[in-house]
Amino acid sequence: MPTKVMLMPMLCLLYWLCAKRPVALVAMGLLFGCAGDALLLSEDGSPLFVLGMLAFALGHICYMAAMASHFGFALLTPLRAGAMALGYALYLAAFFTRVRHYVSTKLLLGATGYMLFLCGTSACALLCLLRAPSVATALLFTGSLLFILSDTILSWTVCLRREDRTHAVMLTYIMAQALIAAAFAI
């Protein structure tokens, strides 16, 4: 458990040392990830668990703000905006249709809010990619999709009580954070 909590500070240090011009909001996003990791070591439903989810949400706010200031967003035609909104809405609907039977209403409300932040981060990354296609914005969007994948696997692991998937959760989570940091480092 202590090594899990140290991953994001180590990635933050690596990002800060390797970035051409480090963005403080990205470092803050990584450090909020560390806080979320530490707080989520508690039991589901405890006040610390709720604070952990809040820490991760604050990290996503930092990432979205960094994307807006660093890359800018594309202006979307109504058709593109509708297609993008429909894609994220379909994912959220399918996800919550499957998990609502397994979790308490209180946890479902928190998870819904958090998944909206994940989809918001991914939508911002997609807007950056559409505005200025590059390796950096492709890394950013891929990292955002890996975040969604990581938390989808985590939700299924918790709901189905399958401990054998925790490695997939950590691998996709670390890759997501690393790709987002790398997008701002190059």
Side-chain angles (χ1 to χ4, degrees):
M1 292 297 178
T3 56
K4 179 182 188 244
V5 176
M6 292 308 300
L7 290 172
M8 289 309 106
M10 289 172 44
L11 182 57
C12 183
L13 178 63
L14 182 64
Y15 164 72
W16 202 262
L17 293 173
C18 294
K20 292 176 183 175
R21 284 190 275 164
V23 177
L25 284 167
V26 175
M28 289 172 54
L30 292 167
L31 294 177
F32 276 123
C34 172
D37 288 338
L39 292 165
L40 287 185
L41 294 176
S42 62
E43 294 294 318
D44 293 358
S46 80
L48 292 179
F49 186 85
V50 173
L51 287 174
M53 289 178 71
L54 181 61
F56 280 121
L58 289 172
H60 285 286
I61 290 170
C62 289
Y63 290 147
M64 287 185 270
M67 287 180 222
S69 66
H70 192 76
F71 295 109
F73 297 137
L75 295 175
L76 292 178
T77 63
L79 181 62
R80 269 190 179 169
M84 191 170 91
L86 180 63
Y88 287 111
L90 287 174
Y91 164 75
L92 288 170
F95 178 81
F96 288 110
T97 299
R98 298 293 292 164
V99 300
R100 70 186 155 111
H101 302 294
Y102 298 102
V103 296
S104 69
T105 303
K106 189 164 88 171
L107 187 59
L108 188 61
L109 284 172
T112 301
Y114 179 67
M115 291 304 265
L116 288 172
F117 278 106
L118 279 178
C119 288
T121 301
S122 187
C124 289
L126 179 57
L127 291 173
C128 292
L129 180 63
L130 292 172
R131 179 178 179 273
S134 66
V135 172
T137 56
L139 290 173
L140 193 62
F141 183 59
T142 303
S144 76
L145 292 177
L146 285 170
F147 248 124
I148 292 173
L149 178 60
S150 173
D151 284 335
T152 301
I153 296 169
L154 175 62
S155 297
W156 280 112
T157 300
V158 170
C159 291
L160 301 177
R161 293 169 182 33
R162 299 281 308 262
E163 294 298 319
D164 60 332
R165 296 187 179 142
T166 55
H167 295 302
V169 172
M170 283 306 297
L171 180 63
T172 52
Y173 168 67
I174 293 165
M175 287 173 51
Q177 292 277 31
L179 288 176
I180 289 172
F184 287 95
I186 57 174

